[in-house]
Structures are given as structure tokens and as C-alpha cells.
Amino acid sequence: MIRSKNYRKNALLRKSKLVFTSERILNKRPKGNRCSPWGTMHLLLYLKILQDFESGELSPDQEVIFPKEVQNEFGTLRSTKSLWGEKRLLSEILNQAISFNAPDCITALFAVYDGWENTRKKLNQLAVQLNVSVFSRLAPTGRNKETQLTNIYDYYKIGLAFLELKPISHYFIKNRTHIIHDKVLDPPMDMNFDNTIISSIFWGTKQNDGFLFKKNGQIIECSLVINGDSIEDTVQTALNEIEIDDEFLSHQLEEEKRNVPFNEWLSSNFEGYFLNEKLLKKPLEVNHMALDMPMVEIRGMENVGIVSLKAEHYRSLIPYTSRNIHSNTAIMNSKSKNRISLIITDEPIVELQETIPQFIVPETLQFCHDYISYMREIYKGKLIGITGSAGKSSTRLMMSHLLKDEGSVWENYSNANLHYPTFSLSMEISNNYDFIVFEGAAAAMNSLGYGNNAYLWRPDVAIITSFGSAHAATGIERNLRVKKQLFYGVKEGGYAVINGDIDPEYLREFIKTAKSLNLTIYMYSIENTGLDCYVKNKKVMKYGTEVTFSLFEKEVSFVLKTDSDGQIQNAMGSLLALECIGFSAEKHAYKFSEYESFERILKPKQQRINGVEITLIDDTHNSSIEATINGINHFASKKKFYTGTKLLVLGEVADLQGQSVMQHKRLEPAINEANADKVILYGEPFKSVELVSRNVVHCETKEDVVQEIKKSITEDSLVFVKGSAGIRFYDVVDMLEKESIKQEGNVR
């Protein structure tokens, strides 16, 4: 039953359950974004200690001296009333912390790692490995704390880590009775009534969460319940004695929003108040929601509800920024205030209180999270999420192009795909749009703020375009862990569309994660004819490629102007995703003949330089090793259409740091097989690349690159330019274009 009109209590903090093994989830997943007000640090602490027991770093029998800090917990709820300087065995303190959810025992465990600061560092490292959100880690003991919120999938990932422990480790976390200071202390819930239960962890007051680990034959299952009404209710729910039903919740939420004015809906579902209710005499019209004024201006939005973040919350979503002003200042200084119909802020803007309605909330970032969750829960359209090392933006543009005649589309602008921009874009999720297509870099799904933005998106379809060394500065394995996070947001009954040409080592990991969440998996490939979608024939033309492919054993054809193998893969992934949301790939594939990508993706340009006509292919939008290999192969496929010299011009791939030389050496086979008349290279890593061709030139400056091109071109030359935007390699193209315009002007 719905307990009140407040959205947090109705839905976000609704009782929810996941039952899972180390292999897969066994029950239906919640229909919306579900969270708990409790934290994760206590669970990470228990997990870390058990891992260190198994590795031998810690001994269960070592003594722990209770630190001075336990005095602060002496009279608190569930305290075992431990004393400063008291000694107990580590295994006993660990079990007491778990059996009683005892804050003094949790605090005592910090002493194992030389105090809270060292403990915090170790637990944060573990949290990063598991991709557990920062805002779930605010309270050292896991207590409720302002801003703190833990997504059910953060708990799920911690639960999976407990399942990876050896069975013997569960002995240490099985709830049991203890004698402390001559008093018998029983755990709140006796779990001995079921001999299949091997351990359990419960936390929270009144609103209760818990892990319950059971043996089912040789397999250990975990039942995770959040927001139980009591520990008894949590246990009964975990054991399937109480059913959870949120089947009609989205309908109820939608009805509630539809039938009341916006201002009434806002104040009844989100904590806050209107600063000047006199301004509400006229109906409040809010057609869009945004987090920053530049997006309002770029998109030409009118009647906007603008949410104003305090500086610390802005910084929580953008690492390394030095911004230290409240967004109220940006709103005050904006020349587009006429576009604003509502300001949502945690600090009133007194100067605007007579002109623009203001809804004052305790915390605007928390409001954003809750607002997005509500709007996604009632959203009736289809949402597609996209990630990958290369091809994210192209695939997103292709999806939008295919869908534009079917309805309205909301998507990223340019390639704004990091955490803050995609969180900001999510504010606009609404039934104003038939389709939403979001691309996310790994950073969009990391642990910043409330964590993985895919939790909020809850895609119907998740597309993995590629995976490899792009942005390897953060570590390829870590990048893989984070890219997989897109799947955690996918709705029950959703789809994973995966590029089957990804390196098998990484492909297995994507498939494993998708299977664990019970997603329907479809795969596509240039070469593997055993997959759901594969290329049957390619006819390469001078300005495009005609592709015939099999999709679910149906033969489909299209012509693509931006036609590298990578772009063909992106097109196939888009058509597969289209099928997943109920549209026919056969009836839409023809639209690719009119598809235009970004200006600097495989863009052929006719230029006249030094009195000769050349074709320059500009592929400097951005770069990765995978995209560079695709580009080189594209160059090789187009050479036969040109009678002049064929020049392969490559700038280094940025953001590879310590792996730069090794990753650039992966380009050797493609460059050698391309058999260019001349290879012109720019960037230090290329100096370690070993090439067969003797006609290779290393340039120290971009101006040198331009001069080398001018020196080498002949009539009907093909010049392919590829390099990272991070090193501004597009400057080479711009300099050549200026040269062409200058020479044409002189001729006239």
C-alpha cells in the first residue's frame, strides 16, 4: 500500500528485494529506482576484514583494543556499552557488530586499520573496485545521514562480493548470542529456525535492510531486502513469506502528476516550500527542467524549471573543478532569465523573489535525483543507453536519425557524455519525448555523487559499441568494470546489444554481466556469421559503402556514406536496438543513405592546393586505438579510387599515459597493410612504432605535418587525417583548408 503522497516514501524508499547467486539474479527486479537512506561503509568494513582473514593479512584471534572514540557510542541505540581500552578478539567484535548492528563495535573495528582515516582510505579503494556510490559512503557506521542514499544495486554488488568469499567465512557473520560484561545479549532476530540460513547481516532502525545468505544445495543464495518495516518484516520478505507488489505504482504516480497543477504536485511529492506564493496565482507552466543556463540557451528552452546547485554538490559531480560559487550566482547573472518560469534552490534568491517563483528545498542535488527517478518511473517512451570505447556518439546519432520520423527524441548535445552533463540531461526525462537516447562515457557510470547514472536512466536497451584502450590512463580493467555498469540500470525484460567483434577476453565479461541481470542479449559482427546480426556482403564505393547483412536471418541492405568498419558496426547495433523497441530494421535501414555524422568523422573534403585537386578525409573528431585502426582500414579500402599519391597522416592518440607506446604499437599491422605511398606521423609514441614502409616521416610540429602533406600531394591525391581532439590534430585540417581557400583566392 502507498503510505503517503511523498514520492520518497511512495516509491524511492519502497520496500524492494533482490535474490541472487554469484551467477545471476533469481527474482524480478524492482520496476523503478529503489534506494535506502542507510549507508554502505559498515558493510564494506565487514567485507574487507573477511577478505583479509582469507588472505592472512588479519587473524580472527588477534586482540583489538577499543579506541577512545567508542565513548561516543556508549549510550547509543544497540551499543554493547564497550569501554575505552577494553580488549576483545577481532572475530568476536566483528560478529557483535553484525549480530547487534552495534555502533561501538563498528567503531572499534576501525582500530584494526589504525583508525578511521586509514580505514576510510581502504574502504574507499574497495568501493571504487565495486563501483559503489560516493553518497552511500557518508556515515562511517552506515547510519542515516543528510544527503546519504544507497541504491539497491550498490548493495547488490556488495552482496556479490560476500558470495565470492569462502563458505567458512560465513561462520564469522552468522548472528549469535554473546555474553558481554556478564550480560547475555541476543541478536534481534533468532535465525536458527531455518538450518539452510548460513549467515545474515541486518542494519537500520525501524526502516530495516538486510542480507540473508542461504544454502540451496551446493549453491549459496543471497536475499537482499531494503526498506523493510522492521527486522521481522525484512526476514519474512527475504524468505518469500511477504510478497512485494509495485505493479501499478507507475500508473498511480502518473495519475497523481496528471491531475494536479504543477506547483501542487511539486510540493506534495518533494520536501520544500514556495518562497512567494503570491506568484502562484497564475498557473505555473514548466515545460523543461535543467541544471545549468548554457543548456537552456543551447537548446532554446522556454518555461524552464532551473535547479540551482551549491558549489560543493557541483564539485561532487565534476572531479578536479575549482568552482566555489552557488549556481544562484549564475542564474542572477544570466541574460536569459526570461526563459525561467521556476527556480528550485536550497538558498532563496532574494533579488528575484518578486519576479520568479522559487521552490526552496533542503538539498537541490537530492531533489534532482528524486525528480529524475519520479519522471523516469512514469515515462512511457523508450530509452536507449549507449557506451563503448569508440562509436558512442555515432551510434547515438544513428539511433536519433532512424527514430526522428517516429516521434520526438531527447539526446546528448555534441558529445557531452561525462557524469555531470548526463546527470543534467536526465533532468529533462519526460513524456514530452517519445524516445530518449543517451550516450555515456565510463565517467557517466562511475561512483560520483549518487553513482551510476544508468540507475536513473533505466534503459530499455543498452548498447556496447566497442571496448579497448580508449582513455586507458584510468586502467583498462577499471574501464571495463565501469562500462559494464550500464547493464545494472537496464529495466527488467530489457536488452543488451553487444558488438561481437570486441576482443573475446573483454566480450566474455560483458556477456557474463548481462546474463547475471537476465537481459536478452543480441550481438552483431562484421565477420562472425554465427551471431544475430552479421555482414554478408560489402560493396565499397568511392563515396560510401553498400552493406548487405543478416538480421535474425532476414537479409537487409543499406548504403552508408561514413563507411568505415566501425561505422558499419555502429549502424548494425542501431538497427538491432531498433528491433528491440518494436520497429522494423528492414523498413528503416534505407534512412542511412541520408545520415550525416559529426563534421569531423570520416568527412571527405575536396580541396585545391599547390594547383592540384585532392580529396582530404577529415577524421579528427576524436580518436582511440580502435577508432584509428578502423580509420586506417577505411583509408586502405578507398585508395583504389584515386590516381594520385595516397597519404596516411596520423596524430597520436591522447589519454593513454603509461600505456601509450604499447597501445600505439598495436597500430603497426594496420599501417603496414594499408600500404600508403607515404605515412606522416605526429607525436612521441609513434617514434617507437616499427613500420615496413621506408617512406615514413615523423614530424615535430603540426606545421611540419602540413608542409609534408603539401610536398607530397599530386593530382587526385587521397589524404587521410586521423588524430585526437585532445592534441587538436584538427588544426592540420584547418591549416590545409585555409591554404586551399587562400590559393583559390589568388587564382581568382
Side-chain angles (χ1 to χ4, degrees), residues 495-558:
Y495 299 86
V497 174
I498 306 174
N499 183 346
D501 294 327
I502 292 172
D503 185 301
E505 176 186 357
Y506 305 126
L507 182 60
R508 283 191 294 271
E509 291 299 313
F510 283 112
I511 293 172
K512 179 181 176 183
T513 302
K515 282 184 175 179
S516 73
L517 295 159
N518 302 315
L519 306 184
T520 299
I521 301 170
Y522 292 132
M523 297 172 66
Y524 57 96
S525 171
I526 292 285
E527 298 176 350
N528 189 339
T529 59
L531 300 184
D532 305 288
C533 182
Y534 60 88
V535 172
K536 297 184 74 173
N537 186 55
K538 282 195 309 179
K539 181 183 177 183
V540 179
M541 301 174 287
K542 188 172 184 178
Y543 297 117
T545 295
E546 183 179 340
V547 181
T548 302
F549 65 99
S550 172
L551 189 149
F552 302 135
E553 300 183 354
K554 298 178 292 187
E555 192 170 284
V556 183
S557 296
F558 61 84

Side-chain angles (χ1 to χ4, degrees), residues 469 472 476 625 656-668 685 688-689:
S469 62
I476 291 177
I625 295 298
L656 298 177
Q657 292 187 9
Q659 298 190 39
S660 190
V661 170
M662 178 187 72
Q663 292 296 334
H664 279 80
K665 288 182 75 65
R666 289 177 55 207
L667 300 175
E668 290 173 355
S688 300
V689 172

Side-chain angles (χ1 to χ4, degrees), residues 486-643:
L486 179 61
F487 291 149
Y488 286 104
V490 177
K491 293 171 66 175
E492 178 75 17
Y495 299 86
V497 174
I498 306 174
N499 183 346
D501 294 327
I502 292 172
D503 185 301
E505 176 186 357
Y506 305 126
L507 182 60
R508 283 191 294 271
E509 291 299 313
F510 283 112
I511 293 172
K512 179 181 176 183
T513 302
K515 282 184 175 179
S516 73
L517 295 159
N518 302 315
L519 306 184
T520 299
I521 301 170
Y522 292 132
M523 297 172 66
Y524 57 96
S525 171
I526 292 285
E527 298 176 350
N528 189 339
T529 59
L531 300 184
D532 305 288
C533 182
Y534 60 88
V535 172
K536 297 184 74 173
N537 186 55
K538 282 195 309 179
K539 181 183 177 183
V540 179
M541 301 174 287
K542 188 172 184 178
Y543 297 117
T545 295
E546 183 179 340
V547 181
T548 302
F549 65 99
S550 172
L551 189 149
F552 302 135
E553 300 183 354
K554 298 178 292 187
E555 192 170 284
V556 183
S557 296
F558 61 84
V559 174
L560 197 62
K561 288 184 285 188
T562 50
D563 56 335
S564 69
D565 280 354
Q567 294 294 330
I568 292 170
Q569 288 171 326
N570 296 337
M572 293 163 68
S574 300
L575 290 169
L576 256 179
L578 200 68
E579 289 269 339
C580 292
I581 60 173
F583 293 95
S584 166
E586 293 172 284
K587 294 180 180 178
H588 287 74
Y590 76 92
K591 295 182 179 182
F592 280 126
S593 62
E594 300 171 353
Y595 166 72
E596 295 285 346
S597 188
F598 286 123
E599 180 63 23
R600 295 185 185 274
I601 292 182
L602 297 173
K603 188 75 170 181
K605 301 176 179 180
Q606 308 305 314
Q607 296 187 343
R608 185 173 183 82
I609 300 175
N610 292 352
V612 297
E613 296 285 344
I614 70 167
T615 297
L616 184 150
I617 298 180
D618 180 1
D619 199 26
T620 59
H621 171 74
N622 214 336
S623 193
S624 66
I625 295 298
E626 288 70 27
T628 303
I629 292 171
N630 276 327
I632 295 168
N633 292 338
H634 176 74
F635 163 79
S637 73
K638 298 294 184 180
K639 288 191 312 172
K640 61 186 177 183
F641 299 108
Y642 299 88
T643 58

